[in-house]
Amino acid sequence: MRLSVLDLAPIHPGETAAQSLAGSVELAQAAERLGFARVWYAEHHNMATIASSATSVLIAHVAAHTSTIRLGAGGVMLPNHSPLVIAEQFGTLAELHPGRIDLGLGRAPGTDQRTWAALRRDIRASEQFPQDVVELRGYLAGASVVPGITAVPGHGTRVPLTILGSSLFGAQLAAALGLPYAFASHFAPDALHQAVAVYRERFQPSEQLEAPYVIAGINAVVADTREDAEAMHRDAIRARVRGILLRDSPVAQQVGDDELDALARSPQAAGIMKMAQHTAMGTGDAATATLRRFQVGADADELIMAVHGQTSQRVRALELLETAGALGDAA
């Protein structure tokens, strides 16, 4: 079973962004030591609980403190950026850390419309996503589709691209372009099976990829005991309720656990609870069994886990999964 880590760089209550980023380094070092395939970072903006907004900067920092593990964006929200700028950023990373850099691309803005306006992007930019992916791929391949424009650095680095999605749109685009497809089933599980089936059915080989390759997202809450994992899972739900339902509240950080639990049981939180549908929870052995079942059911070549908890708990989760044999061949 090929396992990877999606690090959302969480900023926990009472923690600074600097502490969160130091935790990201520690988590990546543990993932490298234990043999996980890659660590990806997701672009979010204007969220008080997430420190991964400047994805390429975070990747550069973590890469400088690791040696071999692949690092990448899971993903860059391309409508927020010029394809040329992203080609230059990830081309620079590829030149500094050859063979270690991935670039996952998403179509959603990763934020709300007000924040998108602050990013100086046209709200219609998502409509150009397929063309932007082709333009970006051309820069990285050294075959620019824009006459007279070359990405330096970036030109010829061929940073591998992956299309991220939670609907049939991304599946169809990844298949048409012959790129790997990563489904965001760790927070948007509904269309997983249909999207993977469409992607595999319609896949067209490309220079980058000869056969379809699916990465499926799943949450992971792993501890030494079932009771500890359940407590961590409650904390993860509370964090999502605080970050989503109370995002614009000036007193969000002062809301207590009892109030957050009550909100989690409310109709307004139904969508948040749905996000956690695919979760590997429990001891290392129990979580590994869930991961194996999920991989088979999702028809996935690789799983990428959003590992929840404080930094020490997330590192321990990776250790428990490795000890349980999660990184070995799937049964």
Side-chain angles (χ1 to χ4, degrees):
M1 184 157 59
R2 188 172 174 82
L3 276 183
S4 296
V5 177
L6 176 64
D7 182 4
L8 300 176
I11 305 174
H12 296 286
E15 188 177 54
T16 65
Q19 290 170 323
S20 169
L21 298 173
S24 290
V25 171
E26 186 177 345
L27 185 67
Q29 290 172 335
E32 180 177 82
R33 169 173 52 86
L34 295 166
F36 287 80
R38 67 182 99 226
V39 181
W40 279 1
Y41 306 93
E43 176 187 346
H44 294 88
H45 297 281
N46 194 31
M47 298 186 71
T49 57
I50 295 180
S52 56
S53 55
T55 316
S56 60
V57 179
L58 178 54
I59 293 169
H61 179 65
V62 176
H65 289 81
T66 52
S67 302
T68 58
I69 194 166
R70 296 193 68 89
L71 301 168
V76 162
M77 300 298 105
L78 196 53
N80 296 343
H81 309 279
S82 154
L84 176 60
V85 169
I86 297 303
E88 292 169 340
Q89 290 178 0
F90 280 79
T92 300
L93 288 170
E95 295 287 2
L96 292 171
H97 307 283
R100 296 183 58 200
I101 303 301
D102 300 326
L103 177 50
L105 301 170
R107 182 171 67 120
T111 188
D112 56 74
Q113 292 188 4
R114 180 177 55 188
T115 306
W116 204 5
L119 290 167
R120 303 294 194 268
R121 297 297 290 166
D122 187 332
I123 199 167
R124 297 166 296 182
S126 289
E127 299 172 8
Q128 301 300 313
F129 182 65
Q131 295 92 324
D132 285 348
V133 173
V134 171
E135 181 181 340
L136 174 57
R137 181 166 67 172
Y139 292 135
L140 295 172
S144 175
V145 299
V146 182
I149 303 299
T150 301
V152 182
H155 177 85
T157 55
R158 288 181 166 79
V159 175
L161 305 180
T162 298
I163 299 297
L164 279 59
S166 57
S167 68
L168 298 187
F169 179 90
Q172 292 168 341
L173 179 63
L177 296 179
L179 296 175
Y181 180 52
F183 192 90
S185 36
H186 63 291
F187 74 87
D190 287 344
L192 169 63
H193 299 97
Q194 185 181 7
V196 171
V198 167
Y199 168 70
R200 291 195 180 279
E201 177 184 345
R202 301 187 183 183
F203 180 83
Q204 299 294 318
S206 68
E207 180 182 347
Q208 178 180 326
L209 194 64
E210 293 183 355
Y213 192 86
V214 172
I215 303 172
I218 185 171
N219 298 285
V221 186
V222 189
D224 288 281
T225 68
R226 174 78 183 184
E227 292 73 20
D228 286 346
E230 289 174 345
M232 289 164 57
H233 185 57
R234 287 193 294 272
D235 287 341
I237 294 297
R238 289 166 183 159
R240 277 186 166 169
V241 169
R242 190 193 307 273
I244 297 174
L245 289 188
L246 302 178
R247 177 176 176 177
D248 294 324
S249 171
V251 296
Q253 297 303 318
Q254 283 73 54
V255 177
D257 289 347
D258 290 342
E259 291 85 354
L260 292 171
D261 291 342
L263 279 172
R265 294 189 295 269
S266 69
Q268 292 86 347
I272 296 174
M273 302 306 292
K274 181 76 169 178
M275 291 178 178
Q277 175 179 329
H278 295 308
T279 299
M281 183 175 65
T283 63
D285 288 337
T288 295
T290 300
L291 291 170
R292 295 198 189 287
R293 289 193 298 270
F294 177 71
Q295 182 185 22
V296 173
D299 193 16
D301 301 287
E302 178 179 338
L303 301 184
I304 188 162
M305 305 178 300
V307 185
H308 296 279
Q310 303 283 341
T311 297
S312 61
Q313 293 171 323
R314 294 196 292 163
V315 169
R316 181 58 178 157
L318 298 189
E319 293 172 343
L320 290 169
L321 290 170
E322 191 274 338
T323 299
L327 299 174
D329 293 336

